[in-house]
Amino acid sequence: MSSTPVLQVRGLKKTFITPFRRLRVPALKKIDFQIYAGEITGFLGANGAGKTTTIKCLLELAFPDAGEITYFGQKGLSLESKARIGFLPERPYFYEHLTGLEFLQFYGQLSGRLRGSELRRRAEELLERVKLQHAGARPLRGYSKGMLQRIGIAQALIHKPDFVILDEPMTGLDPDGRFEVREIIREVAQQGTAVFFSSHLLPDAEQLCRRLVIVKKGEMVFEGGTHELLDQVQRGWVIHWRSVDRMSELKSQPVANLVDLQLQIDTIRKQGGQIEDVTRMRASLEEIFMKIGFEDSALLKSQQVQSHEVAR
Ligand code: ATP
């Protein structure tokens, strides 16, 4: 895996001034993170935390007041870099008179990376991948919300981007659809593409993401490996064991820390017990997220740099 980040964001700041009353809305106070090839990075934060504003700044749909954005080792968003990036907006606009196939071909042409029969083949392949092959010849106006979301994802991938940004890709999908999208995201990353997606669906992020970037009120509260974050809240271990008689009932003994874990294992074995399993109890991302939301997130902040180093 290359160690040059696909995207590097440093010191991003953005304040909106509202029309009429000229109120200042500090949307981004200082955002720093990096994205690497072949990795899936989740971008998490409560409503209004600054996710969409960050994504808009990344794509030059909004302009930051300060900060530096580097793509593929080059400052700024050059035309060359644009052709290597795929994007699914939070609320995509669809040309409803186009069929699914025409829509994908239209966006594929815009990238300048594919044309002619190669583009058509790629569009058909993606229609199949997002389970819309039966609807490829139908105008988008007849698509359901879930179908539109899936064709939107196919649009973001049509030109085989090296980096894909998906703003809330699971929104509006039923459980089967979410499963499908997770599989597509995994597949795309396995092929070497960097995936950056924002989501409110924490179980999806926990399952998919090797790394996480978490923002709160325009500030970074965490950047690093998902496991580093989950490990920050210790829940202890549970020892599962049986007494010598193998037919006896399986017992569970919770322990809070590593020292107690060794002591309990020794005690059980001295008494002739047989250890069958030791399970580490991890906090879920949802639990940690609630902690970040309602408690002082200084703990996470203080470990941010360290966990970033560990994660790489
Ligand atoms: P959500 O999860 O609800 O989509 P978000 O994390 O994407 O939220 P943003 O849409 O980036 O959050 O908004 C961050 C802050 O900036 C919010 O306080 C929002 O009200 C404000 N904001 C965003 N766009 C504008 C704008 N054009 N003018 C004024 N304020 C804005």
Side-chain angles (χ1 to χ4, degrees), residues 82-286:
K82 273 186 188 166
R84 299 174 66 183
I85 299 171
F87 174 48
L88 171 71
E90 187 180 9
R91 281 178 230 119
Y93 176 81
F94 295 101
Y95 298 103
E96 295 198 323
H97 58 283
L98 295 181
T99 67
L101 186 64
E102 287 166 349
F103 176 72
L104 291 184
Q105 287 178 304
F106 173 72
Y107 275 95
Q109 266 169 11
L110 286 183
S111 76
R113 279 186 132 187
L114 294 170
R115 56 168 62 92
S117 57
E118 199 189 352
L119 174 56
R120 191 184 168 97
R121 263 200 310 280
R122 174 72 179 155
E124 285 168 348
E125 178 190 310
L126 272 174
L127 278 173
E128 202 174 318
R129 188 65 198 86
V130 297
K131 301 229 157 95
L132 286 174
Q133 65 274 39
H134 63 286
R138 277 168 41 194
L140 297 181
R141 80 173 72 86
Y143 278 34
S144 70
K145 199 174 166 198
M147 288 164 82
L148 285 175
Q149 191 68 359
R150 298 212 299 274
I151 198 87
I153 290 167
Q155 166 278 128
L157 299 172
I158 185 73
H159 56 302
K160 300 186 178 171
D162 298 307
F163 176 38
V164 65
I165 302 175
L166 307 170
D167 200 356
E168 297 281 349
M170 266 63 120
T171 303
L173 298 179
D174 59 22
D176 284 353
R178 275 168 61 188
F179 176 82
E180 278 301 321
V181 171
R182 284 201 302 269
E183 289 303 298
I184 294 167
I185 290 178
R186 276 200 193 98
E187 217 177 88
V188 166
Q190 268 163 17
Q191 289 159 6
T193 301
V195 182
F196 183 53
F197 77 93
S198 74
S199 183
H200 288 290
L201 300 166
L202 301 179
D204 287 338
E206 187 174 336
Q207 277 186 47
L208 269 178
C209 301
R210 178 161 188 252
R211 295 171 54 75
L212 294 172
V213 173
I214 306 182
V215 286
K216 181 181 173 183
K217 294 181 185 163
E219 286 188 281
M220 298 277 306
V221 288
F222 181 80
E223 184 203 5
T226 308
H227 285 290
E228 270 66 50
L229 180 63
L230 297 181
D231 285 347
Q232 286 189 21
V233 178
Q234 281 295 337
R235 305 286 307 278
W237 288 260
V238 179
I239 308 167
H240 303 280
W241 64 282
R242 265 181 232 279
S243 53
V244 199
D245 174 5
R246 298 199 107 257
M247 298 305 284
S248 70
E249 150 200 19
L250 187 69
K251 294 172 188 153
S252 300
Q253 170 78 55
V255 285
N257 54 54
L258 264 178
V259 175
D260 287 353
L261 179 66
Q262 314 308 319
L263 288 173
Q264 278 300 331
I265 289 175
D266 288 348
T267 310
I268 291 168
R269 296 190 63 177
K270 262 186 211 144
Q271 290 169 355
Q274 189 163 335
I275 309 291
E276 294 217 350
D277 190 27
V278 176
T279 314
R280 184 171 189 165
M281 305 302 286
R282 275 209 155 109
S284 70
L285 189 54
E286 244 159 8

Side-chain angles (χ1 to χ4, degrees), residues 16 18 25 27 45-54 56 90 168 200:
F16 289 104
T18 63
V25 183
N47 289 129
K51 302 179 299 295
T52 300
T53 305
T54 304
K56 281 184 178 168
E90 187 180 9
E168 297 281 349
H200 288 290

